[in-house]
Amino acid sequence: MRNATSGGPGRLAGNGAVAARAPAKVNVHLGVGRLRPDGYHELQTVYLAVSLFDTVTVRRAEGLSLTVRGEGSGDGRGPSGVPVDRRNLVWQAAELLARHAGISADADLEIDKTIPAAAGLAGGSADAAAALVALDALWGTRATRGDLATLAAELGSDVPFSLLGGVALGTHRGERLSPVLARRRWDWVLGIAGDGLSTPVVYAELDELRAAGTLPDGAELASTEPVITALRSGPAPALAAALSNDLQAPALRLRPELRRALRATTDAGARAALVSGSGPTVAGLADDEDTAVRLAAELAGAGVFRTVRAVHGPVHGARLVG
């Protein structure tokens, strides 16, 4: 079966470009198990795709080239800058899809970023997922959705969910997904506090805290059922009570000022607030869209975040646009 999102060869805009976009994610539940022999932690996480998107535009070219515009673009070399070479998951996605299809990796790649880098929102994973969808259409590889999901898992733990979107339970490294039917809309305010946090550094801090006996050792992971049940039907207080993130404690240890950011979010009227993924984004649950917009305006003036966004979810995963 052909990939339903690709459109096959020849689906090009008037300027010969193909664009796809993919969403940010919030981990409404993130349980982290013990460190495994392969260097990864066993995860049980519930992903929610939210309405903050990056767009990847691809064009035919000789060889690969990459440019980045928007949030975190910088010069591609700074700590918050997005790399513009083989270190970028978009570049890796292009090479991987080309090898899978048995063709040359020839494309000009452009990322238009809205999702902040190193913010615990899977912005790099979203870019990779969007690149797979756009390049499949540009090159006419006729990859199935299953093919793309397999390639996504090779690129990173969060990339398969960026491809899928919606709500899903993630296990193993987070790449093994079970979609969750959750039709109701959830509104959030996202506050990005300061510079990015390195995911490997946050995981290493978690391991240190566990080795010191400061945190449980991760042998038993909390059930995901409360948060899944709440996501399906609500009400908001039930979801607020079910939110959890095992990476929040190490993120707070590395970035103590996040405590103030969490407190400011709930003081402003969020039902609950938690660090998203490895941080430093704080996700505040709002009762509705109007409340989320009001919270975003108030928090933007509070001086605790460098960027604030009102978003909602669930939304679709990576797909063609334009």
Side-chain angles (χ1 to χ4, degrees):
M1 182 179 69
R2 289 181 52 202
N3 173 18
T5 65
S6 72
R11 181 169 179 173
L12 304 177
N15 61 358
V18 176
R21 72 176 191 176
K25 59 83 182 168
V26 172
N27 298 90
V28 292
H29 173 102
L30 179 52
V32 182
R34 290 173 170 172
L35 185 65
R36 303 184 325 207
D38 64 2
Y40 291 97
H41 295 77
E42 191 71 27
L43 300 183
Q44 282 189 355
T45 186
V46 179
Y47 294 108
L48 172 71
V50 296
S51 58
L52 185 64
F53 299 93
D54 280 359
T55 301
V56 175
T57 303
V58 299
R59 300 174 178 85
R60 296 192 182 279
E62 292 188 8
L64 288 176
S65 62
L66 175 61
T67 57
V68 180
R69 306 181 190 280
E71 171 73 39
S73 56
D75 59 6
R77 297 188 297 271
S80 295
V82 178
V84 292
D85 53 24
R86 193 166 274 106
R87 294 172 296 162
N88 194 296
L89 281 179
V90 165
W91 191 298
Q92 295 171 35
E95 292 183 327
L96 186 60
L97 180 61
R99 285 198 300 271
H100 171 79
I103 61 176
S104 297
D106 295 326
D108 174 65
L109 313 165
E110 180 180 303
I111 308 172
D112 185 2
K113 288 200 66 62
T114 302
I115 306 169
L121 296 170
S125 297
D127 298 342
L132 288 174
V133 170
L135 288 167
D136 172 51
L138 180 75
W139 292 336
T141 66
R142 298 179 180 268
T144 67
R145 200 68 176 185
D147 292 334
L148 294 184
T150 298
L151 299 177
E154 292 186 43
L155 290 165
S157 299
D158 290 337
V159 184
F161 179 72
S162 298
L163 191 67
L164 176 67
V167 179
L169 170 65
T171 57
H172 197 54
R173 292 185 286 111
E175 86 287 10
R176 295 180 181 174
L177 301 176
S178 300
V180 173
L181 184 62
R183 289 195 179 96
R184 75 158 282 176
R185 168 179 170 139
W186 293 98
D187 288 279
W188 302 78
V189 59
L190 303 180
I192 294 85
D195 293 330
L197 274 172
S198 163
T199 298
V201 170
V202 177
Y203 273 98
E205 184 69 18
L206 174 66
D207 293 336
E208 288 187 16
L209 291 171
R210 286 177 168 174
T214 306
L215 294 176
D217 65 5
E220 295 186 12
L221 296 178
S223 172
T224 60
E225 274 306 306
V227 74
I228 289 175
T229 299
L231 279 169
R232 283 175 172 154
S233 57
L239 181 57
L243 299 175
S244 66
N245 179 8
D246 285 351
L247 293 182
Q248 180 162 302
L252 292 175
R253 178 77 175 267
L254 292 165
R255 194 71 61 78
E257 60 268 28
L258 282 175
R259 296 184 188 278
R260 180 186 171 210
L262 287 164
R263 186 169 57 251
T265 303
T266 53
D267 286 349
R271 282 281 182 180
L274 82 166
V275 172
S276 178
S278 57
T281 297
V282 169
L285 176 63
D287 284 330
D288 50 38
E289 182 179 7
D290 289 344
T291 303
V293 170
R294 180 187 62 76
L295 286 172
E298 183 171 341
L299 291 171
V304 293
F305 298 113
R306 68 176 179 85
T307 304
V308 181
R309 296 283 189 272
V311 300
H312 67 273
V315 297
H316 291 291
R319 55 174 48 194
L320 296 176
V321 295

